[in-house]
Amino acid sequence: MGIPQHLEENELIALLKKREQDAFTYLYRNYSATLYGVILSIIINRDTADDVLQEVFVKIWNNIDKYDASKGRLYTWMVNLTRNAAIDKLRSKGEILQQKILNTDFSVDTSGSRTTEVPTDNIGVRKIVHALKPEQRTVIELAYYSGLTMEEIAVQLEIPTGTVKTRLRAAILKLRNSFNL
Amino acid sequence: MENPKEYIESGILEAYYMGSLTPQEEAEVIKHIRENADIAAEAAKIEEALEHFAKEHATTPPAHIEGEILKQIKFPERKTATQIPLPVTPKKPVAAIAAAAAILIGSAFLNIAMWNKNKAMESDLAELHQRMDTLRKTNERLTALVVNYNKSRDMMADEGMKTVVMHTVLKGHPMAATLYISNAEKAAYVMINALPAPPEGMQYQLWAIKDGKSMDMGMIPGEIAGTAEVAKIPMPLVAGEAYAISLEKKGGSPSPTSEQIYVYGKG
């Protein structure tokens, strides 16, 4: 087969599970930019980010049989795998992202180091995140960018777990509004 | 179960798609999505929103990464795959010259490498020779020692041989020498194994003391000092009451320098 023009997610998964090289190329060409963006939202250093992207695609390839469609879309699985890989790398490098988020205002943080690294690509997202209330931003940051569980966030912020979840929902509802979802 | 609306409003679906739940909580969410259409519809929207959110970040990675990843992945070989024949390009003179140059340069490098290796082996060999030499010398010394000890032992065992042990006369200097006197041969031998090597220009001289007078019995070769070697006394030994060895200037003295008498023993 050649590299397909367009594949539905289930078709892609089937081909990946058959270990088709062209399916991999399709996967890389269609998803690498998104996953790279996810990594860059967590890791500032480009070289480290490059390493993580490589690790992620090798991991996706090696673990495609573990992907369970009943648990969510391929996209969701890959994004979460990517976020976790990036966060693990960050933790292993001893960088204290959490501290940065808790001690500095998110807007200050992004207008600083991060936006100089990824100047144009993320402006849209930053605007969306910026439109959130500070407490909503905080839970998005801790859950999405730091990979903390609901319980961990609750302990960090000294609020009940239920409140963490409702703040998260409110934040994502705002995102949905901006995407008309 | 609680009512679907409340379940949706709790924010647990968002937490699920963020990957922020425990496995047990996840299993529960999956079950709810499967069993309730409202929950499933809401879940799909959340998932899509997060997908959009991720896509908004999209940044094209550097071009070389795809190749780097492909290097790390093992694709199964396809039976249907056809072997692509490698193009055969006619050899150009430039290529030939380049190849020749490469061979020459390679050869030069090889020569240097071999030369270096050879040097290293030479130095190894020299070191081995030196060690062999040291061992040989040690062996010779030990053999001589054994021979001399055997000689001394034989002399001591000889019934016709009289042994006189001379002890130190200088306090704080533990020295000794042994005189072997053979009555049958009228000869005497001396061993100065416990005397220090004489300083430059000095020599040990043996004396026989008879009737209160010291008689010169000749010089002892300096090189046997400190060894078990036995030296024949050059002069016919006069049977004395006692014997002594003194340190004298090279060639000897007519009478012993009293403060230089090292060892003394009664005959």
Side-chain angles (χ1 to χ4, degrees):
Chain A
M1 71 178 254
I3 298 153
Q5 286 299 305
H6 178 79
L7 285 175
E8 290 302 323
E9 218 178 80
N10 57 352
E11 293 171 325
L12 174 62
I13 294 158
L15 290 172
L16 285 173
K17 288 189 175 178
K18 278 167 73 185
R19 308 270 151 193
E20 291 281 354
Q21 183 165 354
D22 289 333
F24 182 81
T25 304
Y26 178 89
L27 180 86
Y28 186 83
R29 303 225 168 134
N30 284 276
Y31 296 85
S32 60
T34 302
L35 299 186
Y36 193 54
V38 171
I39 296 165
L40 286 176
S41 69
I42 295 163
I43 290 172
I44 296 163
N45 184 297
R46 286 273 176 157
D47 290 336
T48 311
D50 292 356
D51 289 347
V52 174
L53 186 67
Q54 291 185 37
E55 282 168 26
V56 162
F57 270 95
V58 172
K59 217 174 198 171
I60 290 169
W61 179 258
N62 289 337
N63 291 291
I64 191 69
D65 287 327
K66 287 184 193 153
Y67 165 69
D68 180 354
S70 74
K71 288 186 177 176
R73 294 161 61 91
L74 180 67
Y75 224 112
T76 307
W77 181 70
M78 292 194 300
V79 166
N80 283 344
L81 191 143
T82 304
R83 277 197 306 124
N84 290 337
I87 291 161
D88 283 351
K89 180 68 90 184
L90 206 62
R91 284 179 183 162
S92 74
K93 287 215 160 191
E95 293 181 41
I96 309 151
L97 184 70
Q98 220 174 296
Q99 197 94 356
K100 221 161 73 179
I101 295 152
L102 290 178
N103 291 349
T104 51
D105 186 275
F106 184 51
S107 59
V108 173
D109 190 19
T110 46
S111 62
S113 54
R114 280 195 188 161
T115 37
T116 56
E117 284 284 338
V118 276
T120 49
D121 303 301
N122 292 345
I123 285 171
V125 173
R126 293 307 172 208
K127 273 186 192 156
I128 297 161
V129 176
H130 218 78
L132 301 174
K133 287 180 185 170
E135 72 263 23
Q136 292 169 349
R137 281 211 297 262
T138 306
V139 288
I140 284 275
E141 271 292 283
L142 294 176
Y144 195 85
Y145 297 111
S146 296
L148 300 189
T149 65
M150 294 293 110
E151 275 74 21
E152 285 167 337
I153 297 169
V155 170
Q156 284 273 3
L157 301 179
E158 296 177 329
I159 53 171
T161 314
T163 310
V164 178
K165 280 186 237 169
T166 51
R167 280 186 190 175
L168 187 62
R169 172 154 176 84
I172 290 175
L173 276 174
K174 273 249 179 79
L175 294 181
R176 282 168 63 181
N177 273 336
S178 66
F179 297 129
N180 299 316
L181 284 166
Chain B
M1 122 178 197
E2 59 194 295
N3 102 42
K5 199 172 180 298
E6 269 176 35
Y7 190 77
I8 287 166
E9 293 301 326
S10 76
I12 195 159
L13 294 173
E14 284 83 357
Y16 170 70
Y17 287 115
M18 290 278 217
S20 308
L21 295 180
T22 63
Q24 292 96 314
E25 290 172 320
E26 281 185 354
E28 198 192 312
V29 172
I30 293 163
K31 191 167 167 274
H32 285 316
I33 292 170
R34 256 187 223 146
E35 289 171 1
N36 189 288
D38 288 343
I39 292 173
E42 183 71 9
K45 282 180 184 167
I46 293 162
E47 208 176 2
E48 208 177 327
L50 286 171
E51 196 173 314
H52 274 283
F53 182 67
K55 275 182 181 168
E56 290 283 337
H57 289 255
T59 309
T60 308
H64 67 90
I65 292 192
E66 186 176 355
E68 301 278 332
I69 295 166
L70 289 174
K71 269 188 247 166
Q72 295 175 55
I73 288 177
K74 255 191 125 176
F75 293 101
E77 282 180 32
R78 299 266 164 247
K79 279 171 197 156
T80 51
T82 45
Q83 284 275 312
I84 303 161
L86 291 168
V88 181
T89 37
K91 273 193 185 135
K92 291 170 192 162
V94 175
I97 291 162
I103 289 164
L104 271 175
I105 291 164
S107 159
F109 274 115
L110 196 67
N111 280 342
I112 292 165
M114 295 287 277
W115 186 79
N116 281 336
K117 205 177 175 186
N118 197 25
K119 275 278 157 210
M121 282 175 80
E122 270 176 20
S123 103
D124 282 356
L125 200 63
E127 201 191 312
L128 273 174
H129 273 302
Q130 204 174 355
R131 282 173 66 186
M132 288 276 285
D133 204 41
T134 312
L135 279 171
R136 192 174 47 77
K137 279 180 184 157
T138 307
N139 190 29
E140 279 171 4
R141 208 178 63 236
L142 285 171
T143 309
L145 194 66
V146 171
V147 168
N148 289 326
Y149 272 122
N150 280 345
K151 231 188 259 176
S152 304
R153 190 200 57 196
D154 290 348
M155 284 178 185
M156 279 186 278
D158 189 341
E159 281 183 355
M161 191 77 86
K162 188 182 171 190
T163 307
V164 178
V165 179
M166 295 169 275
H167 294 286
T168 187
V169 293
L170 298 174
K171 263 194 180 164
H173 295 273
M175 297 181 290
T178 313
L179 191 66
Y180 302 102
I181 304 158
S182 163
N183 291 323
E185 288 178 40
K186 300 280 178 210
Y189 304 86
V190 71
M191 180 172 78
I192 54 169
N193 62 311
L195 281 185
E200 190 68 35
M202 303 295 273
Q203 228 178 339
Y204 288 116
Q205 195 170 359
L206 178 70
W207 305 93
I209 296 139
K210 199 180 180 186
D211 304 326
K213 281 181 188 167
S214 302
M215 282 168 285
D216 177 24
M217 292 288 111
M219 310 309 293
I220 303 166
E223 60 268 22
I224 71 161
T227 76
E229 228 165 295
V230 177
K232 195 168 188 273
I233 298 302
M235 295 185 185
L237 188 78
V238 174
E241 298 131 18
Y243 301 91
I245 292 170
S246 68
L247 187 69
E248 305 294 339
K249 63 180 189 297
K250 215 162 186 172
S253 305
S255 60
T257 314
S258 59
E259 64 269 24
Q260 295 288 13
I261 294 170
Y262 276 27
V263 287
Y264 174 88
K266 282 188 175 158

